[in-house]
Amino acid sequence: MSDEIHEECGVFGVFGVDDAASLVALGLHALQHRGQEGCGIAAFDGQMFHHERHMGLVGERFTGADLTKRLPGRAAMGHVRYSTSGGSIAQNLQPLYADLQSGGFAIAHNGNLTNARTLREDLVAEGRIFHSVSDTEVVLHLIAKSTRNTTVERFIDALDQIEGGYALVALTNKKLMAARDPLGIRPLVLGQLGDHFVVTSESCALDMIGAVFVRDVRPGEVLVIDSDGLRSYSRVPERRPRTCAFEYIYFARPDSVIDQIGVYESRKRMGRILAEEHGADADIVVPVPDSGVPAAIGFAEASGMAFELGIIRSHFVGRTFIQPSQEIRDMGVRMKHRANASVLKGKRVVLVDDSIVRGTTSRKIVRMVREAGATEVHFRSASPPIKWPDFYGIDMPERDKLIAARLDDFGKIADELAADSVDYISVDGLYRAITGQPRNDKAPALTDHYFTGDYPTPLVDFDRGLADKERQLSFLDVA
Amino acid sequence: MSDEIHEECGVFGVFGVDDAASLVALGLHALQHRGQEGCGIAAFDGQMFHHERHMGLVGERFTGADLTKRLPGRAAMGHVRYSTSGGSIAQNLQPLYADLQSGGFAIAHNGNLTNARTLREDLVAEGRIFHSVSDTEVVLHLIAKSTRNTTVERFIDALDQIEGGYALVALTNKKLMAARDPLGIRPLVLGQLGDHFVVTSESCALDMIGAVFVRDVRPGEVLVIDSDGLRSYSRVPERRPRTCAFEYIYFARPDSVIDQIGVYESRKRMGRILAEEHGADADIVVPVPDSGVPAAIGFAEASGMAFELGIIRSHFVGRTFIQPSQEIRDMGVRMKHRANASVLKGKRVVLVDDSIVRGTTSRKIVRMVREAGATEVHFRSASPPIKWPDFYGIDMPERDKLIAARLDDFGKIADELAADSVDYISVDGLYRAITGQPRNDKAPALTDHYFTGDYPTPLVDFDRGLADKERQLSFLDVA
Amino acid sequence: MSDEIHEECGVFGVFGVDDAASLVALGLHALQHRGQEGCGIAAFDGQMFHHERHMGLVGERFTGADLTKRLPGRAAMGHVRYSTSGGSIAQNLQPLYADLQSGGFAIAHNGNLTNARTLREDLVAEGRIFHSVSDTEVVLHLIAKSTRNTTVERFIDALDQIEGGYALVALTNKKLMAARDPLGIRPLVLGQLGDHFVVTSESCALDMIGAVFVRDVRPGEVLVIDSDGLRSYSRVPERRPRTCAFEYIYFARPDSVIDQIGVYESRKRMGRILAEEHGADADIVVPVPDSGVPAAIGFAEASGMAFELGIIRSHFVGRTFIQPSQEIRDMGVRMKHRANASVLKGKRVVLVDDSIVRGTTSRKIVRMVREAGATEVHFRSASPPIKWPDFYGIDMPERDKLIAARLDDFGKIADELAADSVDYISVDGLYRAITGQPRNDKAPALTDHYFTGDYPTPLVDFDRGLADKERQLSFLDVA
Amino acid sequence: MSDEIHEECGVFGVFGVDDAASLVALGLHALQHRGQEGCGIAAFDGQMFHHERHMGLVGERFTGADLTKRLPGRAAMGHVRYSTSGGSIAQNLQPLYADLQSGGFAIAHNGNLTNARTLREDLVAEGRIFHSVSDTEVVLHLIAKSTRNTTVERFIDALDQIEGGYALVALTNKKLMAARDPLGIRPLVLGQLGDHFVVTSESCALDMIGAVFVRDVRPGEVLVIDSDGLRSYSRVPERRPRTCAFEYIYFARPDSVIDQIGVYESRKRMGRILAEEHGADADIVVPVPDSGVPAAIGFAEASGMAFELGIIRSHFVGRTFIQPSQEIRDMGVRMKHRANASVLKGKRVVLVDDSIVRGTTSRKIVRMVREAGATEVHFRSASPPIKWPDFYGIDMPERDKLIAARLDDFGKIADELAADSVDYISVDGLYRAITGQPRNDKAPALTDHYFTGDYPTPLVDFDRGLADKERQLSFLDVA
């Protein structure tokens, strides 16, 4: 039920092609699953920067025959931002743009810094003025104030001061630059369209514009693309990326390949291994759509049970469907998921979902499946129990809302979900599904703290008690 | 590829419950797949009618804590309307409302009349003024001018003058009335919520509000619901419904049951029978999502091949994503469907879709699947070849755009689609999947003229050359 | 204080010129003082009608380089509608358009019928369906149902059935037609632009487009303009118009000439005669702007006192300036009118306004002038006491809200206004100011029932108790 | 014809009262004539700042019963901004808000700095990031980076670095601060509402909320208002203000009193002196409304000629009324001003306007008056010839567009305007009208460089060639 967690963004940049902004719009559309709140594009036409940021979907905002008139130029970059449930804050949309002494500078990022509050406090103490609460603006100030000689040096100077998980893209009047965090927590790939380079969060965005995948950006690598071609700077010794496991479990599109591992196949393997670890004596395997479908296919194949669309998902649910009375609100789960009674009736059902977060929606789905006539409901999660908060760009409920953090026993969770049984893939099972190997506790191949509590970087703001300050600031800044 | 055809609407009415408009909103949301252009609700609060019609989705327009203040009352009805590609015409939204001599009268319908233009000409000749181009307004005028004594009689008087396929719902200050066409072409069901009655196009809308399915409305039946309960009037001798086959193939939600036949199961059976009739020597079965999924599951089960999500569908495609250049527009098919290359690479693929209409999108999908590395592509349609236009509420390309009307040979169609083979379920196969029996040519159990040319009713307007007049009128009336 | 009364509209039509809709837009802008709620234009391009109606001002809605693409053609007509304080009702905007048997027909009017409810009841009883509550739709139905042979005959047939005050303009695919009521209550003028004819409510709209004034349309006259030129039909014996006195007092623009009498001069004469009838021993004459200015200039000239802008009017007051607390709302009168203290301080002031309606705003202005330092305040009204409601197109408070109907003595009115004295021009004085002659009680030269109770036509709906039914219907029809 | 020049803003602040934002909204409405493009309010509720900025009028944007919920608190300030003809730039709306190290800080200003570009270049060189092109943001950065100890000291530190004409208002979580430039070019007044202080651009805004005028803020004075009351800081030796003459001629509301001189009376005196200096042998005096009215009243009184409203102004002109063809655009002047022919016909007319800027509109008005039948037209300007650009907050055409800078002879100007004669008040006449004394060339009592070329401060940016850089930057920053 990973609908209850969200990632904060996707990025896309291209250099040297006609109608660059159109390609960015297509690429961002391919990344729309990474963020639906808002989107932005910055383009440079050789003389001036052009810049638009909007609430809403890419396909609604960056459309029309006049797009390349609004955003002309052969270099452009853009960003999609995820949908918060609370008030939307337009000034946090990206890319940010500033007119630095060196000229125009646009920047956008996916991820989260673990020392952003600390850096921000220092910058404000120097009299620097912030106009958003985004971490990206911290990076922008660090670049603006750097006294290094070249733009690339100032960019790297800023990167050397930040901690966390990120994929950054920046555009100047000469260059497109991109950077991935030193552990490779957030994904970033390099592609090629003819002779021209593209950087973006996921390979599916390369496919969208017909670009060829070149390689994943390396942990700590900085790419600089300009009319001379591509240069690479390594900020850390070469290492294998410790990619965020949730990219494989939920965030990434199934047709993406991240750090050489196909997302769809890894999900199917999670289902297969889940079936092996925690099979159930049942009649049919039913996914919680859409995110549970690949794992359910794998589970069905491994278990030999029939795969059935026992739950139908509606794609017409806007975020604003507010109902007047409690009684009617209780029907709310059906707005998104509805039981397919003729499939479920009289059957022993294995429900397969990608994860269980709070458990509230899972409980409603179990009840709905029972009401539709299922005689038994066994709930299986394709990720291990989620017990720890994230600080690298995933928006997740607080710890005491996580059912697996609250309840120490799968039986109790089954009781709360009113399921006949509840089981999760093991951490080693997850690793085997993604990497082919069990977890190496000395050098884990994935970022996995939400399951293990093993955070891959220092938590600077958190340790200083600053991690939660953001929300308050955001109210202050309302425009 | 039934995305290229559209049905014109869904209806929902409820009588005698608190916050009736809220239930209508939920019910219409469940029917949203039948029409996304616009929606409307009329409610009666015991004193006055309240009435709203909007372009856009139910969940965006009929939401908010103030909904039952805007549309108060214990009787309400509503309508969803499908999305045209051309200019949207707000005055054609339903329900229509008029202040007749007998009092307020709201009416909405799904379907299409085959003598609407003829009737309209007669009404205009009497000096009657039309404010929309919808068939519904024709019915409204017939009711308004009827000299019969009671509202029910006037409603039946009007029904006796119209031909075609329809499901009608009407609300007065005393009654909720509903009618299904004499052949039962368009679906309409009766449900119960506690002691109160509900009528709606599909059973899934009953499930949404927690109502119990009572029965399908019978062909030619008129239902009258008021504070005395339910009465039924039969306008024709009792007969089995000759339901539109496309409801089963594409329009209806998989979790609906129409005329006692489950939609999801019928689709799986179409896939099974298709596999039996036109198997292929291949490695994997890949649905064209979302409409091809149930048939592909059936095909995979019957053929023993693996079911794989080799094409990923994006649900973020707005209808306004217009791209500036032809080169970029050519990438358009990827906005909705993208090949999952790691699944397809090196595989012989059976693509299963619910139907083939123009063939243009199918061809793009075949090419995309090949480019992703498939070594063979066999295209299978879960409906027979579409050769004839519809006049009962389906919006379909003109005849010379239908690939199966243009090309008389599946080999030629395969050539045009650049597929290794193309095959369709047979008409008898389709009948067996839906009804369990082959077609009885003397008394066909389904409406199936798009495959057979066998129209179930007279085509009055068409025969008089009036069928196309509508489009021109609609420009005249632009508000 | 005639801001408290409103007229219902202005009309404009032109035939045979390029970009006709642009001229209509300019003409309607010149008539904007007659109605600010909404506006509409219908144009015929030789093939099709085009039609737009909008809430808001002409200059905001009918603007842009694409106007003649949206509304092409060489024949067009339009309408402005006044601003109600309550909810705005878009479907009452004009022109109305219908596709009659004879072809497209657009119609708009200024004024009010005194038998519209009665006719509407009859039409509804015949099963005719209304989509607005406007009197214009009644006329449209009468035309639609007329069995006469020609369009002109059907138009006249409809006019013969209606009672009241009106200026009507209609456009068909061949002709522009115009009609003025048999008494000439509402104004209507004929102009010429090159060889082409223009009809409109006031001469100032002719000036706007550079058209030449030809003559006032005669009471009961019907004009038909087509490619053969102009024809005139007389429906009643020739008579002098009995124009609505309030056109001269308040509604018309000062630069208009109505029935051969200049509006500005007549207002100045009202001020002169008022000074003669009801002089005051004071220091300065101060108009209540803007409507009191011409009369105040006349009053100052006749009295020899100085004319001073002692009250400043703001033109930035939108209709939506709602303030949260009562204390702040009490400052409301200052949003529109502010005392110019340096002019008023220590002065004995004559305040001149065009009229006194409820008295509430007048009282606030008197208080404001006193607070600014005036030692005496004498209030003079350039119209006689308003005592009777209107039924010919003026929106006026109900009778028991009219201060001169409530209080039978000017001393009491002065007490309520907290003025040192209050006086009104006499009815004969008003007649002399406008017509040069006192009132001829046997054949009054003006419509003046608001002062005299002498209604010029039968009040059919009122006598049948139907006059107030409109408001209720309007709620029923909310779209 | 001062409609062709614009001032850049008005400010309003209040401290210590309930519903402070409501009073700010009323005060800004009273200042709406100083700017119609946009408006903004910042309020502090004791805990947090709230902040809204909008395009459009105060009465449309800061309205509604929820205003004090949206902007709660007992301290608030706001700003109105003038309407540019080009694209509107939302991020230049004020007040600006920043979260400085000392806490929240809101700031707004009227006027213009003559060294803003120079300061901005220095600040950008320090890596400081700008988000608007407004001078106000320069001041904000200077405050943010000041290392002085207290907020007041940092505010004064910033003021000490800027040159130009300004009225500044700032709000912190403790204080409301206000400052007027050292010469008193821009107006600023102090008022009192009960025990609480108010600062605003013009006295008419005090009248609006019922506040008492206390005194004009002194040149170079800084006011600090907090819970301890009012403190004043003098940044320069005490001197008489050298107020911008155009405040008296055109910008200020007639009911305002600036630096102890009533605006309406000074305008009437301009008319009287103009009549004395440059009388004309004519029949009537006609103002170009609205700004020419007071001077025309004075001219009529002094000359003994009749004052007549020979030109009628429409207040319905939106800024967007774009017409499709040149022929129709030529009618444009009539959209705002229309000749009242019955007044003008056969008359020798003195037209009185507050000023002549480009001359283009004046020429159209002269032509219109002639076409209405005037036999002679004598144009009189209540301000001296405008020859030099402004750098203190007035938006004026470039020098080569100013008719009096182009043509060195009033006869030539009369030819260009097609007037029988053109004359202007003398500079000494203007001084006498405003101050009662002729100009003292050694110590002029007014800012008057537009007439004399005598700039009261150094023009730092202009001398460095930076004055025009702003427009280019503004494109770069488009959001």
Side-chain angles (χ1 to χ4, degrees), chain B residues 349 351 356 359-371 374-379 403 407 410-422:
Chain B
V349 174
L351 278 180
I356 305 173
T360 42
T361 303
S362 304
R363 188 172 63 237
K364 289 177 184 171
I365 287 175
V366 170
R367 189 174 66 184
M368 191 172 70
V369 167
R370 278 200 200 281
E371 287 173 357
T375 55
E376 292 179 19
V377 183
H378 302 272
F379 204 106
I403 192 168
L407 302 177
F410 295 175
K412 289 183 186 163
I413 295 176
D415 288 349
E416 186 159 320
L417 266 48
D420 293 284
S421 71
V422 167

Side-chain angles (χ1 to χ4, degrees), chain D residues 318-392:
Chain D
R319 70 194 77 146
T320 54
F321 208 149
I322 300 157
Q323 285 299 325
S325 72
Q326 184 57 42
E327 189 184 357
I328 284 168
R329 262 193 299 281
D330 289 343
M331 299 172 188
V333 70
R334 294 181 204 150
M335 290 191 201
K336 197 163 186 177
H337 292 109
R338 269 172 279 170
N340 190 352
S342 50
V343 164
L344 299 167
K345 195 162 196 176
K347 294 287 169 48
R348 294 172 303 162
V349 174
V350 180
L351 278 181
V352 178
D353 204 350
D354 63 284
S355 61
I356 305 172
V357 185
R358 297 165 179 265
T360 42
T361 303
S362 304
R363 188 173 60 238
K364 289 176 183 171
I365 286 176
V366 170
R367 190 173 64 185
M368 189 171 70
V369 166
R370 277 198 201 282
E371 288 174 357
T375 56
E376 293 180 20
V377 182
H378 302 273
F379 204 107
R380 295 292 178 271
S381 164
S383 64
I386 302 174
K387 295 181 180 174
W388 303 89
D390 184 78
F391 296 97
Y392 305 99

